[in-house]
């Protein structure tokens, strides 16, 4: 989680912290805690009855703690934004996302209005969104990858064989290696089919009345697109609960991209981090299995299929043995 957090942090604020440093782990944990609010029943009630937000004390400890973490992160972001404002060179290249935002802010909101577009409040909102949306999703997908590899040692073995044959033992894996690794790409696509990390997606609303397949949907209807219905539809993917990367290999073992899968959603509001997430998934997964073998904690003590529900559906922490591959 901390590695993924560090990447997002670098993008937003130009900072990378050593992984041994407590701070980055703590911040990733804080973001994780904030994500818990997303699936808190109180949030659904506030969505229906907004005035309830003034009665947050009714929502219990988890909610209070998540709000406290959110406030703690906001103070931290404000400090970093202030530091950027003091050191930015408006004529030069932006060092990171915050610089780019501040440059645009100078043009579109020169009086630094506190509300609305290009305000600091908006910047804090965007930074917070990227931080929450970017850490838990990618981390959960990678954890599920490890989970399925432990459960399917024969698939894990095929991954090593491909990585050793194509990359060799000593090279560091780069994005340019991706097209040469069809089996790994098929495993990554299969993990995103079987692991739907955002099971109820985000809420959308129709901006105008529309008719689809004879169903009339009025303007302002809340829509929750559920792509898991396709990912786990046995007419589309026979034996849908089985982890089987060969679904995405053709007769010559070439990788086949499948447009029926939409883990990042579709349309204008689809995941803004898709390209980054795809790179992270490839680099981390390839490097993990190039360097290490993942085994159950004890023979026959396989990780359990149990989940926490926050912003995402994420697997409960499990133990495993990680052995360096020679
Ligand atoms: C495996 C990794 C990821 C998955 C499966 C994923 C999936 C999704 C999904 C399903 C949505 C909802 C789109 C919709 O409303 O239709 C979303 C939104 C979003 N994602 Fe991701 N995401 C991932 C990684 C990331 C990363 C790395 C970032 C940031 C760098 C990110 C930032 C966001 C943001 C900011 C939104 C809200 C977009 C908006 O409403 O405008 N995501 N993501």
């Amino acid at each position: 989680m901390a590695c993924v957090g560090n990447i997002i942090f670098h993008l937003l604020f130009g900072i990378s912290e050593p992984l041994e440093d407590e701070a980055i782990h703590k911040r990733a944990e804080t973001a994780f805690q904030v994500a818990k609010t997303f699936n808190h029943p109180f949030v659904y009630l506030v969505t229906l009855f907004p005035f309830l937000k003034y009665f947050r004390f009714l929502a219990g400890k988890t909610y209070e703690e998540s709000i406290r973490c959110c406030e703690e992160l906001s103070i931290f972001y404000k400090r970093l934004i202030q530091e950027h404002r003091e050191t930015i060179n408006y004529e030069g290249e932006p060092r990171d996302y915050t610089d780019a935002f501040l440059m645009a802010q100078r043009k579109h909101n020169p009086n630094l209005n506190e509300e609305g577009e290009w305000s600091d409040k908006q910047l804090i909102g965007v930074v917070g969104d990227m931080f929450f949306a970017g850490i838990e999703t990618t981390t959960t997908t990678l954890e599920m990858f490890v989970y399925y590899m432990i459960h399917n040692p024969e698939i894990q073995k095929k991954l090593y064989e491909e990585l050793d044959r194509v990359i060799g033992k000593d090279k560091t894996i780069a994005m340019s290696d991706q097209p040469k690794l069809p089996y790994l790409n098929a495993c990554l696509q299969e993990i995103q089919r079987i692991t739907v990390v955002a099971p109820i997606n985000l809420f959308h609303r129709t901006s105008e009345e529309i008719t689809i397949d004879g169903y009339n949907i009025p303007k302002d209807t809340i829509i929750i697109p559920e792509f898991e219905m396709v990912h786990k539809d046995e007419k589309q993917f026979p034996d849908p609960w089985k982890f089987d990367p060969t679904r995405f290999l053709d007769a010559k073992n070439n990788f086949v991209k499948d447009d029926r899968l939409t883990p990042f959603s579709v349309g204008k509001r689809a995941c803004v981090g898709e390209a980054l997430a795809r790179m992270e998934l490839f680099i981390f997964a390839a490097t993990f299995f190039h360097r290490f073998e993942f085994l159950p904690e004890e023979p026959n003590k396989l990780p359990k299929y149990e989940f926490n529900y926050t912003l995402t559906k994420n697997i409960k922490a499990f133990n495993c043995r990680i052995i360096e591959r020679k």
Side-chain angles (χ1 to χ4, degrees):
M1 194 191 278
C3 305
V4 176
N6 234 351
I7 293 171
I8 307 276
F9 224 61
H10 190 71
L11 190 97
L12 296 172
F13 295 118
I15 304 173
S16 290
E17 289 163 320
L19 284 176
E20 307 80 60
D21 195 332
E22 262 304 275
I24 181 68
H25 293 273
K26 187 166 177 299
R27 231 179 337 274
E29 278 302 325
T30 311
F32 192 70
Q33 177 66 31
V34 172
K36 286 187 183 164
T37 43
F38 284 85
N39 221 25
H40 194 286
F42 190 69
V43 171
Y44 293 101
L45 282 173
V46 172
T47 310
L48 292 172
F49 310 108
F51 69 90
L52 281 177
K53 69 179 177 206
Y54 300 111
F55 299 90
R56 79 180 207 206
F57 56 89
L58 296 175
K61 257 193 183 164
T62 314
Y63 188 78
E64 277 291 328
E65 180 57 13
S66 303
I67 298 288
R68 192 195 60 72
C69 288
C70 200
E71 285 161 358
E72 185 184 311
L73 282 176
S74 287
I75 293 170
F76 178 67
Y77 299 149
K78 275 185 197 156
R79 180 165 64 73
L80 289 174
I81 293 168
Q82 191 49 34
E83 278 173 22
H84 273 65
R85 189 166 275 129
E86 286 163 9
T87 53
I88 187 172
N89 170 12
Y90 282 102
E91 311 313 320
E93 282 291 310
R95 294 165 292 184
D96 45 44
Y97 180 86
T98 304
D99 264 11
F101 188 100
L102 292 180
M103 286 172 176
Q105 184 183 57
R106 205 180 212 204
K107 268 196 220 147
H108 304 292
N109 177 16
N111 300 326
L112 297 184
N113 295 329
E114 286 178 17
E115 298 286 332
E117 296 221 324
W118 303 110
S119 60
D120 279 10
K121 203 170 171 181
Q122 189 184 45
L123 175 54
I124 291 169
V126 174
V127 163
D129 275 357
M130 301 276 252
F131 205 57
F132 308 136
I135 297 184
E136 217 188 270
T137 44
T138 315
T139 308
T140 299
T141 311
L142 287 167
E143 283 168 353
M144 288 306 288
F145 201 132
V146 171
Y147 168 93
Y148 278 105
M149 289 303 121
I150 294 175
H151 277 258
N152 295 281
E154 70 297 347
I155 297 181
Q156 190 172 166
K157 199 163 163 247
K158 282 190 188 157
L159 259 188
Y160 306 146
E161 281 166 8
E162 182 179 75
L163 286 161
D164 292 350
R165 181 170 35 83
V166 177
I167 307 290
K169 286 274 184 200
D170 302 321
K171 208 186 132 216
T172 302
I173 294 172
M175 279 315 295
S176 53
D177 294 317
Q178 187 165 24
K180 296 178 253 165
L181 296 165
Y183 195 73
L184 173 60
N185 287 318
C187 285
L188 285 173
Q189 188 158 260
E190 176 67 344
I191 202 71
Q192 291 213 280
R193 181 194 68 79
I194 205 163
T195 307
V196 176
V197 293
I200 52 166
N201 207 330
L202 296 182
F203 292 8
H204 289 245
R205 188 162 50 191
T206 47
S207 52
E208 54 190 60
E209 187 177 338
I210 185 169
T211 303
I212 301 175
D213 266 354
Y215 292 93
N216 185 46
I217 306 174
K219 183 172 186 257
D220 283 337
T221 306
I222 290 190
I223 305 283
I224 308 172
E226 280 223 45
F227 36 74
E228 184 157 21
M229 302 304 286
V230 179
H231 288 206
K232 301 271 171 57
D233 181 346
E234 57 189 345
K235 288 197 204 106
Q236 301 292 331
F237 301 102
D239 203 355
W241 292 95
K242 184 175 174 208
F243 185 88
D244 179 8
T246 60
R247 298 175 200 277
F248 306 119
L249 294 173
D250 68 12
K252 291 187 174 158
N253 286 332
N254 295 313
F255 169 64
V256 182
K257 188 171 179 313
D258 193 323
D259 292 333
R260 288 171 297 173
L261 303 181
T262 55
F264 298 98
S265 193
V266 291
K268 277 194 180 162
R269 296 302 294 261
C271 177
V272 76
E274 175 172 348
L276 175 65
R278 287 193 186 280
M279 282 195 258
E280 290 177 328
L281 293 179
F282 171 75
I283 290 289
F284 281 116
T287 308
F288 284 173
F289 292 95
H290 190 218
R291 301 261 178 92
F292 303 104
E293 184 179 359
F294 290 76
L295 296 165
E297 182 182 9
E298 288 167 27
N300 303 324
K301 197 173 177 193
L302 289 166
K304 290 196 179 133
Y305 194 71
E306 290 174 344
F307 293 88
N308 302 306
Y309 292 86
T310 62
L311 170 64
T312 62
K313 175 182 162 195
N314 49 75
I315 190 145
K316 289 197 173 167
F318 58 84
N319 291 329
C320 62
R321 279 183 302 143
I322 304 176
I323 297 172
E324 193 171 359
R325 297 181 59 233
K326 300 286 176 209

